Amino acid sequence: MNRPVEAEMLGLPEQGMASGSGQERVCVLLALFTSFIGLFLISRYNYLLFHSLTEIYSIVVLWGIFFVTWNARHLFRNSYLCVLGVACLFIGFLTLLHMLAYKGMGVFPGYTSNLPTQLWISSRIIQVLAFLAAALCLFQPQLEISALLPASIWGLLTLLCTVLIFSDRFPDCFVEGRGLTLFKKTVEIATVLLLVLAALLTWSKREQMDSGVLRLLFAALVLTMISGLMFIFYKRVGGIANMLGHLFNLGSTYFVFRAFIRTGITAPQRLLFFELNRRQQELKRIKRNLEQQVRERTKTLEEKNQELETINQRLNEFAYSISHDLREPLRGMHNFAHFLAEDYRDKIDAEGREMLDGIMRLARRLDAQVLGVLKYSRIARLDLELRPVNLDALLDEVLDGLQDLIATHKVHIERPSPLPQVFCHAEYLREVFHNLISNGILYNNQTEKIITVGWHLPGTLPPKAPLAASIVPVFFVRDNGIGIPEKHFQKIFGIFRRLHGQDKYGGGTGVGLTIARQVIERHGGQIDLESELGQGTTFYFTLSAGKK
């Protein structure tokens, strides 16, 4: 996080914050310089006191890091700090044993300088393994590691090393009069190489960590490497190389302290805002990708829709053209057959007259079907002209047009209540009522034929009735005719689909219900039905464009 953003989030002036940070750095550097000079002088006066002070400081800081890590383990979004922080408890424990076993402390009588060196190399091994394991955790950022897992692993390793050392099964690391053993030097070199590997792994995943924490941890890694090199070359316990090794180790512990304690407690907002900022950047990246995909798919859909509209337009124009052109020869066929039947009736036998009547009947039927296709095509091509329409008056016009059919079949029309006024295309909706009512009349073998036309307010239909959940008025046309099998409920809306022979029930064209559904759907509505064989059928439909 940059300084201006951090200052803004903390409610501090940017200039004042930068000034405060600069003064803090100067104070810290002066304190460190003074401490190192003081420790150097103490080492010249009493090396045991120098060693005890440096190790006590390391132990306090290491255990402090552990307690912070353990109490904040549920808040960590990065397993790196959790794995490394938990290991500090056990590194501090081995460091404590190392300090107590040091020559001159008198806590473990009978042991030589080999014991503290063995304890040191054990703590070193766990420290290096902790840095390496923490770096590997960065390669699985989505993996949430419980603090109990690293605690168990480091605890078992610490117990194993302690048992091996005090049971004299751990390899010697220091021999009086000869100095460091080959095993100790080899392990120190190996730990330095592993620390280099840990640093490289951490750097490869640096985007997952706050830049300030990363710098502090790298400083700790570098000083730990230098400290290890110093401990390879010392000849005696109180020598200059040993003293420098402890000072570099002290500096490494300080930088770990800065990474965990200062950044995690005295300035926790930086870690929190870093995590928040990282997640925000990730969300922005995902959002950009999704927006790009949406734009690309929207463009593709628009192109496909445009192609589909063009194809449909051409098909409708083709159907209109073909249907229009077909009617001319059909009328000619009908007229010629009619002329023959009238002018040459005396010269044609009965079988010939039946054949002419069949030609005229088929020509009329085909002409009606072509006219239905023309209507269907016209409804698909032309725009709706929505205007307020009094449906009750529109129904009167439809019934007037069907008056002969109604009188011929002796149909009783019921209208429970006046129909409302809606926004619709009057001519198209006239087709809907005409087709539904005429079908109810024609497909009816009852002695007393009844057609009911009405409507329901939203929510007044029975729950199981079709379109019962509609939020707009539901209109219906009910008859007491022959009924429709449920398996054919959708089939009847297909063009030229008839459930009976061509000459039965008035010989319809099979286009009426197709046109009715297209008109209703173009008004944003739905059409459905319920029917029972021998009892009749009720068609329900809505007009969403007329909800006003």
Side-chain angles (χ1 to χ4, degrees):
M1 181 179 297
N2 56 38
R3 285 291 178 185
V5 175
E6 184 177 341
E8 181 182 349
M9 289 179 172
L10 294 175
L12 298 174
E14 179 186 345
Q15 183 178 359
M17 184 175 182
S19 176
S21 299
Q23 293 175 0
E24 180 184 352
R25 289 195 189 95
V26 172
C27 292
V28 168
L29 290 175
L30 287 175
L32 285 176
F33 180 75
T34 305
S35 300
F36 282 131
I37 294 298
L39 288 172
F40 175 76
L41 295 175
I42 291 173
S43 70
R44 299 298 90 193
Y45 171 72
N46 189 316
Y47 192 82
L48 183 61
L49 177 60
F50 159 80
H51 182 266
S52 299
L53 289 174
T54 56
E55 299 298 3
I56 288 173
Y57 171 81
S58 297
I59 293 166
V60 170
V61 171
L62 288 168
W63 284 355
I65 293 172
F66 166 76
F67 287 122
V68 170
T69 303
W70 188 260
N71 286 287
R73 64 189 184 278
H74 299 299
L75 302 177
F76 280 129
R77 293 294 181 268
N78 195 323
S79 297
Y80 187 104
L81 298 177
C82 180
V83 170
L84 187 58
V86 170
C88 289
L89 172 68
F90 305 98
I91 298 170
F93 173 74
L94 291 173
T95 303
L96 175 63
L97 292 180
H98 163 75
M99 181 191 72
L100 296 177
Y102 215 71
K103 185 177 180 180
M105 294 294 291
V107 176
F108 299 105
Y111 285 92
T112 64
S113 297
N114 183 46
L115 177 60
T117 310
Q118 289 175 316
L119 291 167
W120 161 258
I121 206 68
S122 299
S123 67
R124 187 75 164 179
I125 292 172
I126 293 178
Q127 182 185 29
V128 171
L129 291 177
F131 271 114
L132 188 59
L136 292 173
C137 288
L138 295 176
F139 287 83
Q140 295 291 334
Q142 73 281 2
L143 183 63
E144 295 185 3
I145 298 178
S146 171
L148 291 174
L149 178 61
S152 302
I153 295 174
W154 305 137
L156 289 174
L157 286 176
T158 302
L159 179 63
L160 177 63
C161 290
T162 304
V163 170
L164 290 176
I165 289 171
F166 284 96
S167 62
D168 292 331
R169 295 179 181 178
F170 197 88
D172 290 335
C173 296
F174 187 88
V175 178
E176 295 290 346
R178 292 168 50 190
L180 299 175
T181 63
L182 179 62
F183 170 77
K184 201 271 186 184
K185 293 179 180 180
T186 303
V187 172
E188 288 285 10
I189 294 172
T191 56
V192 170
L193 295 176
L194 290 175
L195 286 171
V196 172
L197 176 61
L200 293 175
L201 293 174
T202 303
W203 179 255
S204 67
K205 294 295 180 179
R206 59 190 178 278
E207 70 278 358
Q208 297 185 28
M209 301 185 69
D210 174 71
S211 58
V213 174
L214 187 65
R215 285 194 296 269
L216 292 170
L217 290 174
F218 259 80
L221 282 166
V222 171
L223 291 179
T224 305
M225 296 177 202
I226 298 174
S227 171
L229 294 175
M230 291 295 103
F231 287 126
I232 294 175
F233 300 109
Y234 76 89
K235 295 295 183 181
R236 58 188 182 86
V237 173
I240 187 68
N242 189 287
M243 184 268 293
L244 289 175
H246 280 89
L247 287 178
F248 283 119
N249 189 61
L250 186 66
S252 170
T253 307
Y254 167 75
F255 282 114
V256 174
F257 159 79
R258 293 272 294 179
F260 275 86
I261 305 299
R262 182 184 181 280
T263 311
I265 297 180
T266 61
Q269 73 285 344
R270 187 167 183 179
L271 277 178
L272 294 176
F273 290 143
F274 165 74
E275 182 66 20
L276 178 62
N277 183 64
R278 189 178 69 82
R279 291 178 179 269
Q280 286 177 339
Q281 295 301 322
E282 181 67 16
L283 287 174
K284 287 180 180 179
R285 185 185 64 80
I286 294 173
K287 180 184 176 183
R288 286 194 299 271
N289 291 340
L290 287 175
E291 289 176 346
Q292 180 63 25
Q293 292 178 10
V294 168
R295 284 194 295 269
E296 291 175 355
R297 293 184 181 182
T298 301
K299 183 179 179 182
T300 302
L301 286 175
E302 288 176 350
E303 293 174 352
K304 295 296 182 183
N305 286 336
Q306 186 63 38
E307 291 178 5
L308 185 60
E309 289 178 3
T310 302
I311 292 171
N312 285 335
Q313 181 69 19
R314 290 175 180 173
L315 285 174
N316 289 327
E317 291 173 355
F318 176 76
Y320 179 81
S321 176
I322 292 297
S323 300
H324 184 272
D325 294 342
L326 280 175
R327 295 196 71 195
E328 291 299 327
L330 283 174
R331 281 196 294 267
M333 290 170 57
H334 180 273
N335 292 335
F336 278 123
H338 180 72
F339 293 152
L340 284 171
E342 284 190 349
D343 297 342
Y344 298 92
R345 179 169 291 276
D346 296 337
K347 299 179 180 180
I348 301 175
D349 58 14
E351 184 179 358
R353 288 194 295 271
E354 287 182 5
M355 293 175 65
L356 286 174
D357 290 338
I359 290 173
M360 288 187 289
R361 186 175 64 255
L362 291 174
R364 286 194 299 270
R365 180 185 301 160
L366 185 56
D367 184 65
Q369 289 180 332
V370 171
L371 184 60
V373 173
L374 279 172
K375 289 181 180 179
Y376 182 81
S377 175
R378 184 164 57 91
I379 291 171
R381 286 186 299 110
L382 301 180
D383 294 332
L384 294 179
E385 296 178 3
L386 298 179
R387 58 182 178 82
V389 176
N390 187 324
L391 289 187
D392 216 48
L394 182 70
L395 181 59
D396 289 337
E397 296 175 9
V398 173
L399 295 176
D400 287 342
L402 292 171
Q403 192 59 48
D404 291 342
L405 187 65
I406 292 172
T408 301
H409 290 269
K410 299 178 181 179
V411 179
H412 176 64
I413 304 296
E414 294 183 350
R415 300 166 70 172
S417 61
L419 299 181
Q421 177 177 283
V422 298
F423 279 83
C424 66
H425 191 291
E427 181 184 352
Y428 291 171
L429 203 60
R430 187 181 288 109
E431 286 283 342
V432 173
F433 280 114
H434 181 279
N435 292 337
L436 293 179
I437 293 172
S438 60
N439 281 352
I441 295 172
L442 294 174
Y443 293 92
N444 196 320
N445 56 7
Q446 300 292 336
T447 303
E448 184 180 356
K449 300 177 176 61
I450 301 173
I451 302 292
T452 305
V453 182
W455 68 297
H456 294 278
L457 286 169
T460 59
L461 276 170
K464 293 185 179 180
L467 308 182
S470 173
I471 61 174
V472 294
V474 179
F475 304 93
F476 67 90
V477 176
R478 180 180 296 118
D479 65 65
N480 63 338
I482 62 174
I484 301 170
E486 186 176 355
K487 64 180 181 180
H488 296 313
F489 278 8
Q490 296 304 315
K491 180 180 178 180
I492 59 174
F493 292 105
I495 193 167
F496 301 136
R497 292 296 183 91
R498 288 177 51 85
L499 303 182
H500 308 281
Q502 290 290 345
D503 296 326
K504 294 191 66 176
Y505 299 109
T509 61
V511 182
L513 288 178
T514 306
I515 292 174
R517 183 170 70 173
Q518 186 182 47
V519 170
I520 290 167
E521 289 179 351
R522 287 213 62 191
H523 280 78
Q526 296 175 284
I527 184 170
D528 205 347
L529 71 148
E530 59 181 359
S531 183
E532 186 175 348
L533 288 176
Q535 300 297 319
T537 302
T538 302
F539 283 93
Y540 298 90
F541 65 91
T542 60
L543 301 169
S544 295
K547 62 186 177 182
K548 294 182 180 180

